[in-house]
Amino acid sequence: MPLQALRTVARSQNGVGAFILQCKRLDFHYCDWAGSSKGMNSFLQSHLPAFAASNPQIEITVSPRPRKHPVIKGTYINGREKAVCVRNMEVKEILAKAELLRDANGEKLRKAKKPVKSANESVRGIWDPFHGANWSI
Amino acid sequence: MKRLPRTARSVDLLLDISRPTSICRSCRLRAAQQSALSTSAIRREGPVPFTERIRKRIYGTENPPGQEDPYARNSPLRQTPETREELRVLESEDDLTVQKATPESSELANMYEPANSWDSLEWVGGEDYLEALKDDEKPYVGFMHGTKVQDNDEIRAALRRAVVEVYTLHYAGREDLTDVCNARHNDDDFKSLLDRNYEWLALSIKEPRIKFAIVKRVMQLTGIRLSDYAIQTSPTVEALLQRLTTKPKPKKLVEALHADSRFANLQNVKLFERRVTPIDKEKQVGRWKVIEEALVNRDLPVTGHQ
C-alpha cells in the first residue's frame, strides 16, 4: 500500500466565513459614594445604553461594589477573564477600555517576536525517512 | 566646642595650691600645665557685650565715647533724616500722652485679684447669651420665606401670584416692578388662586425687568433660591416652574438607571441593585441548593456572603 499523506481539512478561522466575538460578557462595577467612580457613574448613565445596543451579542451586567474602585471585567469564550480598573478615569477613557475588552480575544498578552505569524503548516511538510534523497552511510 | 564652666572643672581643685590637699605637688603642677596648654578660648558669659569690649579695645579706655551699642535699632547710624524726624515727633507725642501713676491707680492695682474659677466671670457665647442679645422691640424679619416650601401646588400658586402681581404693576405703568416685594409675606392660603386654567404658564418672561421681578417675588414667597443658570435658561413661566419644582437627584445610581427608558428595551443588560455576592453567582448557575444540602448533611454552617 503506497504511503499517502494525510489529507488536510480546512481549519476554522474566526472571521473567515463567520466572525464570533470572543468576549461573551462584560461586568461593570461602580461605587455610589467614592469619587474614583465619578467617571464610571456618568459613563453608565450616558454611554452604556448606546454601547450595549451596538453590541447585542455581549451580556452586560451592572452592579455596585461599595467602597471599591470601579472595574470592568470581561469574560471570554476561552474561559479566561480580563479585568481593568478604571478609577478616576473620564467617560471617554472608560469607553476606550470597554472597547478594548470587547475586542480582546481573552488570550494572555504575548510579545510578537517574529515578523510573520501563520496558523498554516509549513508547505514543505513534516520530514519523513522514506521520502526524499537516499543517504548512503 | 563649649567648654565646661570654670567652676565645674575638676582640674581647678588641683590648681588651688594654697588649699591643703592630699595630692602631691608634681601632680598639681602637671594639671596646671595642661590647663595652660588648652587651645580653645574661654567663652565669657558676662554682662559686658561683645561690641562693647571691641570698642573698649579700639579706644584703649574703659569709657569709650559714643553710643553703647552702635547696631541698636535707635542708633543714629541707622537713621535716615526722615526717620529721625519721625522719631522726634513720636517722642514729643509720648511726652504728652504719658500719665504718671497716681497713688490711687496703684491702690486699684493692688486690689486686683485673679479669678480661680469661671463661676463669677462674664460668659460670652451660647444660647442664653444670644437670647440676652436679642432685641425684642425690633425682631429681625428676613426677606425670604423662613422655610423652603415643599408642596408643588403651593409653589405653583406662589408663582402665579408673583406673575399676576408683577404684570399688574407692569400694565399700570409702574417703573420699579420689584415693588411687589414690599407687600410682606402673609400666611394667606393663596392656593385658592389656582384654577384649571393653565394658559398663564405659557407666558413669556424674556423681558429682563419682568423676569427679575417675578423671580425675586417667587424667591421671597417660597424661600427657594434659583441659580443664575436656571433663571437664564427659563424663557417661559412654565420653565421657571419646572426649575422651582425639580425633583431631587436620586441618591443611588441604580435608581437613575432604572428610570432611564433606554435600558428598558435592551435585552442584554442586567442591572443589579446590590453587590453580586459569591452566593448570588452560585444561585445564578443553580448550584447553591446543592452546596447548601451538602453543608447541611455534614452539619456545617451554611454561611457566606449574603
Side-chain angles (χ1 to χ4, degrees):
Chain A
M1 182 182 161
L3 199 69
Q4 279 192 334
L6 285 172
R7 297 260 174 141
T8 53
V9 183
R11 275 185 167 189
S12 65
Q13 282 192 59
N14 200 15
V16 179
F19 177 73
I20 296 166
L21 199 68
Q22 301 295 291
C23 177
K24 64 175 179 181
R25 176 189 168 123
L26 282 177
D27 300 326
F28 292 85
H29 298 292
Y30 66 94
C31 173
D32 271 314
W33 173 82
S36 61
S37 286
K38 198 179 162 197
M40 183 61 151
N41 293 3
S42 53
F43 169 81
L44 294 177
Q45 280 183 302
S46 58
H47 284 62
L48 188 66
F51 181 79
S54 59
N55 298 289
Q57 67 274 53
I58 301 177
E59 178 192 355
I60 288 173
T61 65
V62 180
S63 66
R65 223 166 60 113
R67 302 181 299 280
K68 297 278 190 294
H69 285 312
V71 168
I72 308 176
K73 268 185 196 166
T75 313
Y76 297 88
I77 56 175
N78 64 355
R80 290 181 61 85
E81 254 192 9
K82 274 188 184 184
V84 176
C85 179
V86 290
R87 65 170 181 186
N88 298 327
M89 282 190 193
E90 289 180 9
V91 175
K92 288 280 168 61
E93 295 170 293
I94 295 172
L95 181 65
K97 290 291 178 194
E99 283 170 352
L100 182 140
L101 285 178
R102 176 199 65 190
D103 299 338
N105 60 2
E107 288 292 329
K108 265 191 172 183
L109 295 179
R110 288 179 209 280
K111 190 178 177 183
K113 291 175 186 170
K114 298 287 165 71
V116 179
K117 188 186 171 188
S118 173
N120 295 331
E121 279 177 27
S122 162
V123 290
R124 294 173 66 180
I126 304 164
W127 179 81
D128 185 88
F130 305 108
H131 291 83
N134 288 320
W135 294 96
S136 55
I137 299 168
Chain B
M1 190 184 84
K2 190 176 180 183
R3 293 180 58 126
L4 287 169
R6 191 76 178 159
T7 49
R9 295 203 309 173
S10 56
V11 184
D12 291 358
L13 294 171
L14 301 173
L15 294 176
D16 195 357
I17 298 173
S18 61
R19 243 162 110 188
T21 173
S22 61
I23 301 168
C24 69
R25 191 176 171 78
S26 61
C27 293
R28 278 191 271 168
L29 277 173
R30 196 181 297 162
Q33 280 172 357
Q34 277 185 356
S35 176
L37 280 171
S38 180
T39 53
S40 58
I42 299 164
R43 188 180 295 166
R44 282 186 189 154
E45 305 287 345
V48 183
F50 170 74
T51 50
E52 189 61 17
R53 278 189 278 127
I54 294 289
R55 285 174 67 245
K56 280 178 185 173
R57 200 167 293 170
I58 289 170
Y59 285 100
T61 61
E62 274 300 306
N63 296 314
Q67 192 80 9
E68 275 192 11
D69 183 6
Y71 303 105
R73 279 185 67 81
N74 56 352
S75 165
L77 290 174
R78 310 186 96 188
Q79 286 172 10
T80 58
E82 291 85 28
T83 52
R84 211 170 294 153
E85 181 63 24
E86 279 175 16
L87 274 174
R88 199 183 59 75
V89 171
L90 278 175
E91 277 169 11
S92 60
E93 279 176 1
D94 282 347
D95 290 343
L96 292 174
T97 52
V98 166
Q99 289 180 350
K100 282 187 178 177
T102 57
E104 288 170 8
S105 61
S106 64
E107 275 176 24
L108 280 174
N110 290 336
M111 280 166 67
Y112 171 70
E113 194 179 332
N116 291 321
S117 69
W118 63 19
D119 292 334
S120 58
L121 293 179
E122 189 186 359
W123 194 277
V124 178
E127 287 182 3
D128 296 338
Y129 180 77
L130 281 178
E131 280 296 320
L133 275 185
K134 269 187 185 172
D135 189 0
D136 292 333
E137 287 181 5
K138 288 180 183 175
Y140 171 73
V141 181
F143 174 76
M144 284 169 64
H145 196 273
T147 53
K148 274 187 188 177
V149 177
Q150 303 286 340
D151 186 15
N152 281 353
D153 282 346
E154 210 168 322
I155 292 169
R156 203 152 58 90
L159 181 61
R160 182 177 166 124
R161 177 177 164 167
V163 170
V164 169
E165 285 175 350
V166 169
Y167 269 98
T168 306
L169 285 197
H170 178 60
Y171 288 126
R174 292 275 287 272
E175 273 298 310
D176 193 3
L177 296 179
T178 52
D179 282 345
V180 288
C181 299
N182 293 339
R184 277 292 179 185
H185 173 71
N186 46 23
D187 294 330
D188 293 347
D189 180 22
F190 40 81
K191 263 193 197 179
S192 54
L193 289 169
L194 286 177
D195 51 18
R196 297 282 172 198
N197 184 8
Y198 292 114
E199 281 178 10
W200 62 278
L201 286 173
L203 267 176
S204 167
I205 47 169
K206 279 183 181 169
E207 195 181 329
R209 272 176 67 240
I210 293 175
K211 185 191 260 189
F212 178 74
I214 289 174
V215 167
K216 190 173 177 181
R217 183 61 170 157
V218 165
M219 282 164 79
Q220 185 191 21
L221 292 174
T222 59
I224 301 170
R225 290 180 188 276
L226 283 173
S227 65
D228 286 353
Y229 177 75
I231 296 167
Q232 282 169 12
T233 54
S234 303
T236 61
V237 177
E238 191 171 12
L240 201 62
L241 180 66
Q242 277 185 353
R243 289 290 186 178
L244 285 164
T245 56
T246 304
K247 286 175 188 169
K249 278 184 183 176
K251 276 189 175 178
K252 291 196 168 185
L253 179 70
V254 71
E255 290 169 12
L257 296 182
H258 276 306
D260 196 338
S261 60
R262 290 176 297 174
F263 282 109
N265 301 324
L266 289 170
Q267 299 295 317
N268 58 335
V269 180
K270 205 172 179 187
L271 306 170
F272 291 92
E273 290 190 357
R274 57 173 182 81
R275 189 172 78 90
V276 179
T277 61
I279 290 182
D280 288 335
K281 285 175 188 165
E282 300 290 3
K283 278 180 184 167
Q284 282 169 11
V285 292
R287 207 158 39 199
W288 177 244
K289 51 187 173 232
V290 182
I291 295 170
E292 204 173 13
E293 196 183 335
L295 288 170
V296 169
N297 286 342
R298 288 169 173 78
D299 283 338
L300 290 169
V302 183
T303 52
H305 288 285
Q306 296 297 322

